[in-house]
Amino acid sequence: WRIKLIRADSIGKYSWDNKASGTGSSLSNYGSNDWSDAALNTVLNSKPYWNRSSGTCPYGQQGATTSCNFTSNGLTSTSQGQIETMKWRLGGAKWDSSRSTDGFYTSERGSETCTTTGNCSGKTRPTTTNGNVGLPYPSDWGYTYAKGVADGCYNTPSDSGKCGSTNAQKGWMFSTSYSFLTISPWADYSSDVFTVNASGHVHYESASNSYYGVRPVVYLQSNIQLSGEGSVNSPYTIIG
């Protein structure tokens, strides 16, 4: 088993991917929802965030960028040595078939990416990719919610009464300050990905949309030791 860490706050708002049509796996100017060659994947795994440096990040359509600086919140060399290279599941969900936490969990580990549906024109998409840093899954969001409440978060944002009304119902990942990206593609279209908005609803948006926050996710190596109880007052601390 591995300990999974999901960043509590956003490192900024950037595009998931924004390659122009015909570049890499992109079939439109709204980018591609194939995480294996996504522009944000590169930022997190080999460019500014990974190297705790400044540079450029995807922002807008057709390869546009904006300056980004992770010199205070990127990964240190010590952190890099504590992170495991993992297989990230890239299965997607159709919007009309998996509106539940368990349904998303199954879809994330499935083979539906945009290979047989949507406008992918028969272009094969991978169902997994290896890497050190990823993003949350839609199911991660649901499993932090109070049992029996989370499934209401997978409906359209207009269903505001179905996604928890108290802090006790809403999970620790919830923030009214920003919406954030997930790693999972919407299988009905080649350029859309699932997101979580500031009211807690899971929906889909264009991969090039730069409105959503980025919350990096990593898995610790199996030999890492922790202290603490994992609570607010006694959080886990890496000791070796």
Side-chain angles (χ1 to χ4, degrees):
W1 56 274
R2 296 286 188 275
I3 295 173
K4 183 176 188 175
L5 300 181
I6 300 175
R7 191 177 180 94
D9 57 354
S10 167
I11 61 171
K13 296 180 178 181
Y14 306 107
S15 300
W16 199 95
D17 185 70
N18 64 350
K19 294 187 296 294
S21 179
T23 303
S25 63
S26 183
L27 299 174
S28 79
N29 287 328
Y30 295 102
S32 166
N33 59 7
D34 177 359
W35 180 251
S36 69
D37 80 339
L40 185 58
N41 185 348
T42 301
V43 170
L44 297 179
N45 283 278
S46 63
K47 290 292 179 69
Y49 180 75
W50 178 258
N51 294 318
R52 200 176 178 86
S53 63
S54 58
T56 59
C57 291
Y59 195 88
Q61 297 180 19
Q62 300 189 62
T65 61
T66 188
S67 60
C68 49
N69 188 333
F70 304 119
T71 55
S72 63
N73 60 359
L75 295 175
T76 64
S77 57
T78 299
S79 298
Q80 293 172 5
Q82 296 169 332
I83 295 171
E84 186 68 88
T85 300
M86 296 295 292
K87 179 183 291 184
W88 297 86
R89 307 286 181 170
L90 306 182
K94 295 180 179 180
W95 187 237
D96 60 354
S97 63
S98 299
R99 295 190 188 186
S100 70
T101 304
D102 290 343
F104 265 99
Y105 182 87
T106 298
S107 296
E108 291 156 7
R109 286 146 185 81
S111 59
E112 189 72 77
T113 59
C114 201
T115 303
T116 58
T117 63
N119 69 335
C120 289
S121 303
K123 189 168 186 175
T124 301
R125 296 286 181 88
T127 57
T128 63
T129 191
N130 293 329
N132 297 104
V133 187
L135 297 172
Y137 292 101
S139 64
D140 288 333
W141 170 246
Y143 288 132
T144 65
Y145 250 69
K147 187 174 179 61
V149 177
D151 289 352
C153 299
Y154 297 104
N155 293 293
T156 60
S158 60
D159 296 331
S160 57
K162 299 180 180 179
C163 192
S165 57
T166 67
N167 289 337
Q169 292 175 322
K170 296 175 179 179
W172 63 266
M173 289 180 66
F174 178 75
S175 172
T176 58
S177 301
Y178 59 87
S179 305
F180 64 90
L181 299 166
T182 79
I183 198 172
S184 298
W186 177 37
D188 289 324
Y189 205 68
S190 70
S191 61
D192 284 33
V193 298
F194 284 106
T195 60
V196 178
N197 67 22
S199 64
H201 288 87
V202 176
H203 209 246
Y204 55 85
E205 290 288 350
S206 164
S208 64
N209 192 310
S210 52
Y211 175 78
Y212 294 87
V214 177
R215 301 176 72 170
V217 177
V218 300
Y219 290 84
L220 296 180
Q221 294 184 0
S222 59
N223 62 344
I224 295 297
Q225 296 180 341
L226 301 176
S227 65
E229 301 176 351
S231 65
V232 173
N233 296 325
S234 179
Y236 289 128
T237 302
I238 297 174
I239 59 175

